[in-house]
Amino acid sequence: MAIVFATAALALYVWGCSRIYFLYGHEGGVDCFTLDDLTRGIQLDGISGSFTPLQLTCHMSDGHSLDIIIPAYLNPTIAVLLLLGAVCVLRSVLPRRTAPRKVGG
């Protein structure tokens, strides 16, 4: 089971990384702006990203920040899958307590 959880977490992580690489590379920060931002003349100050946790953040000229591209459920799901995998590994490695057997009645 630990292998299944770890594989699922890795697959989600790679999917998130590919979203950053492919979607952001093609859109070039278009997701940073809302229609309201464009009408108020707000400009993009910069973009920062992180691989742990997966995030891509736009920093706007008026001081607010906006997370884009990565769905909000992705990082918690990866964390839960890794935690479940670790629990499975620990459960299989730790010795099991058994009641002592009575010999001879």
Side-chain angles (χ1 to χ4, degrees):
M1 278 311 285
I3 292 173
V4 171
F5 289 132
T7 303
L10 180 64
L12 284 175
Y13 183 80
V14 168
W15 178 72
C17 288
S18 67
R19 285 183 59 87
I20 291 174
Y21 181 73
F22 291 114
L23 290 180
Y24 180 72
H26 291 291
E27 294 175 3
V30 173
D31 282 346
C32 292
F33 295 103
T34 63
L35 185 58
D36 188 41
D37 290 338
L38 293 175
T39 58
R40 292 187 299 158
I42 296 175
Q43 295 181 355
L44 180 64
D45 274 347
I47 297 175
S48 63
S50 171
F51 287 104
T52 51
L54 283 173
Q55 69 180 17
L56 191 61
T57 305
C58 299
H59 304 283
M60 309 306 271
S61 61
D62 69 344
H64 79 275
S65 297
L66 176 66
D67 289 332
I68 61 168
I69 304 287
I70 302 298
Y73 62 84
L74 190 63
N75 288 315
T77 303
I78 292 171
V80 167
L81 288 170
L82 289 175
L83 182 64
L84 288 172
V87 167
C88 288
V89 167
L90 288 175
R91 181 76 175 126
S92 68
V93 171
L94 293 177
R96 298 180 187 201
R97 294 183 183 183
T98 57
R101 293 184 181 183
K102 293 182 182 179
V103 181

